[in-house]
Amino acid sequence: MSRAARNLSYAVLCAAGLVLAVTGLGTFALGKPPMTHWVLMAHVAVAPFFAAGLAAVAVSWSGLCRAGVDSPMSCLAQTLFWVVLLCGLIVILSGVLPMTPLFGAPGQHFLYLTHRYSAIVLTAAVLLHLPLLARRK
Amino acid sequence: MRGDDKTVSSFFAFTFHFRPLLKILVFAAAFVVLGVLLYYGLRGVGAITAPPSSTGKEGP
């Protein structure tokens, strides 16, 4: 996978993630959850771009971040990459599973909380990962 | 919808046309990410649990 494709996929992930963090975590931090109106629609409209970016990042970066390979990335950056992927998977699944008829009200509430707190961990992991990428060998 | 004006309500209703597309796209992305995690995760487990002879290293 070319370096340009890797950087593009990560840029899409970060740009979409920024909008999602502002709309989602911003609403949570300002003390007025849950999201409603235009904020909710903006959040859901950007979500597919985040999911596509996450899948592209998973495919294009995973070869660089596997253990034992001669990678330009540090061990911490490689570990954070897998944390980002795992949290991203939990975030996108917990976001879309409540839209299915599989879960009742308690299950949907559990998924809502899972979505929120895994998104917080994901945001922290990406914020820690970005400076490490800038300093890669 | 919680006392909203008609524009917000009608636009919110319009977005439901795209909900199946959103679900398909997100589940497809989740499938790819899960595949990558399983592939490298199982390879890692295999590397840890492989007997020394298969890694090319001699035992003591």
Side-chain angles (χ1 to χ4, degrees), chain A:
Chain A
M1 194 70 68
S2 73
R3 187 179 175 133
R6 282 201 303 268
N7 290 344
L8 178 66
S9 62
Y10 207 94
V12 170
L13 178 79
C14 288
L18 179 68
V19 177
L20 293 172
V22 168
T23 53
L25 299 181
T27 307
F28 172 59
L30 293 174
K32 291 185 179 178
M35 286 178 288
T36 53
H37 308 133
W38 298 110
V39 177
L40 175 63
M41 286 184 261
H43 191 81
V44 178
V46 176
F49 295 97
F50 177 80
L54 186 72
V57 163
V59 171
S60 58
W61 285 79
S62 54
L64 279 180
C65 296
R66 65 189 169 96
V69 72
D70 185 23
S71 171
M73 296 165 67
S74 66
C75 185
L76 180 61
Q78 290 178 333
T79 307
L80 279 171
F81 168 79
W82 295 109
V83 173
V84 167
L85 274 199
L86 188 62
C87 285
L89 179 66
I90 295 170
V91 165
I92 63 175
L93 282 179
S94 61
V96 82
L97 277 176
M99 297 179 188
T100 64
L102 298 171
F103 297 93
Q108 287 184 339
H109 186 68
F110 173 75
L111 287 168
Y112 167 66
L113 294 178
T114 304
H115 187 73
R116 176 192 292 172
Y117 293 111
S118 56
I120 292 172
V121 175
L122 172 65
T123 306
V126 171
L127 288 177
L128 288 172
H129 195 227
L130 274 173
L132 294 174
L133 286 183
R135 290 190 315 183
R136 67 184 138 165
K137 296 175 234 171

Side-chain angles (χ1 to χ4, degrees), chain B residues 26-53:
Chain B
V26 171
F27 277 125
F31 184 76
V32 171
V33 176
L34 187 64
V36 169
L37 282 170
L38 282 177
Y39 176 72
Y40 285 104
L42 291 175
R43 275 181 60 149
V45 171
I48 291 168
T49 58
S53 59

Side-chain angles (χ1 to χ4, degrees), chain A residues 36-37, chain B residues 1-9:
Chain A
T36 53
H37 308 133
Chain B
M1 187 174 76
R2 298 176 197 178
D4 297 331
D5 60 26
K6 198 173 177 183
T7 310
V8 176
S9 300

